[in-house]
């Protein structure tokens, strides 16, 4: 507007009369807009508002897989790359598949009411499976060798809960059956798994052990460079001839190895959790770390 007034000075007298009127109107209007806007802004600045910039922000919580589920997926990936397929079996099992076919003698203590959840049934003895090994038998009944599969799933035991025991947990069973399968292959497979899972520079210790369904049997302990404690990660062995027979496979023609991992134990070793119960308390502050 100031610039327009400067130009105004150069106009002829006639024109000045005409343009002067318009310029005055414009200048009054501009002053009015300035004044009212200023008042408006001053009012806004002093009136109270809901907006408090000092409040903490609102965080979006995004869900994620439970760490036990993550372990199962990771283990499946490792074994898939070694040619294992994935199979599943029922959680409610008959006594035959859970015990008899796996070469447990009739009076074996693991069948005891102390360890096994029996389900009331008029016709035969039904249990909540105490391990994933019965899926081995179901595989052999249904698939001709060669068989190379892992069998993840939930298992149940009548345990007193403590920092290393749950009544409901997960295992991953493994079974490989073919001609001329050797213990050396079992060892190499277990060691390869452990190296991928825990790092190349871990130490190994195979200990002789006993399971009714394998002969010979072993347990594998590992130790990482960050720990001076040996940690048991898997039970394994060569499939017992009686078990092959129960699955309808001729032990003279075929041999095989089997193994069984406790998934929660593997998860604890991975996460450094010191109490197995923490995995299922569902405290988001614990679980969201993994
Ligand atoms: N079924 C065993 C358990 O629940 C684990 C196991 C050990 C499975 C050795 C196997 C094996 O297949 O060969 O403790």
């Amino acid at each position: 507007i100031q610039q327009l007034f400067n130009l105004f000075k150069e106009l002829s007298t006639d024109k000045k009369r005409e343009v002067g009127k318009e310029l005055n109107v414009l200048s009054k209007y501009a002053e009015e807009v300035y004044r009212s806007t200023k008042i408006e802004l001053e009012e806004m600045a002093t009136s109270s508002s809901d907006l408090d910039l000092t409040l903490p922000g609102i965080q979006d919580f995004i869900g994620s897989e439970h760490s036990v589920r993550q372990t199962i997926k990771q283990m499946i990936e490792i074994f898939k790359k070694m040619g294992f397929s994935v199979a599943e079996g029922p959680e409610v099992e008959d006594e035959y598949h859970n015990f008899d076919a796996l070469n447990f003698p009739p009076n074996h203590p693991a069948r005891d009411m102390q360890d096994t959840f029996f389900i009331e049934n008029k016709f035969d003895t039904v249990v909540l499976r105490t391990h994933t090994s019965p899926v081995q038998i179901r595989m052999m009944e249904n698939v001709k060798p060669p068989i190379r599969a892992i069998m993840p799933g939930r298992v149940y035991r009548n345990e007193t809960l403590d920092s290393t025991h749950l009544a409901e947990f997960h295992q991953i069973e493994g079974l490989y059956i073919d001609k001329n399968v050797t213990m050396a292959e079992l060892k190499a497979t277990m060691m390869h798994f452990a190296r991928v899972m825990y790092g190349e520079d871990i130490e190994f210790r195979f200990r002789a052990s006993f399971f009714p369904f394998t002969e010979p049997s072993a347990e594998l302990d590992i130790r990482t460079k960050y720990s001076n404690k040996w940690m048991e990660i898997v039970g394994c062995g060569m499939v017992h001839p009686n078990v092959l027979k129960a699955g309808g496979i001729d032990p003279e023609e075929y041999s095989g190895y089997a193994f069984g991992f406790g998934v929660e134990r593997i998860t604890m070793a991975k996460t450094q959790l010191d109490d197995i119960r923490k995995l299922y308390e569902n405290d988001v502050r614990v679980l969201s770390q993994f």
Side-chain angles (χ1 to χ4, degrees), residues 130-133 136 157 171 173-174 211 213-214 235-237 258-260:
T130 57
H131 51 178
T132 44
S133 302
Q136 282 187 31
R157 283 188 204 169
Q171 290 186 335
E173 192 76 16
F211 301 102
F213 34 89
T214 46
C236 56
F259 53 85

Side-chain angles (χ1 to χ4, degrees), residues 93 97-98 102 104 129-140 151 155 171-175 213 243 258-260:
E93 245 322 348
H97 285 91
N98 198 79
L102 288 162
F104 281 80
R129 67 178 176 194
T130 57
H131 51 178
T132 44
S133 302
V135 193
Q136 282 187 31
I137 304 295
R138 293 188 175 275
M139 276 290 323
M140 289 188 254
M151 300 146 237
V155 300
Q171 290 186 335
I172 293 189
E173 192 76 16
L175 180 68
F213 34 89
V243 175
F259 53 85

Side-chain angles (χ1 to χ4, degrees), residues 145-148 176-181 185 253-257:
I147 297 171
R148 197 199 292 255
Y176 177 39
I177 293 175
D178 204 345
K179 290 179 176 158
N180 307 314
V181 176
E185 285 170 88
E253 193 180 356
Y254 289 100
S255 57
Y257 63 69

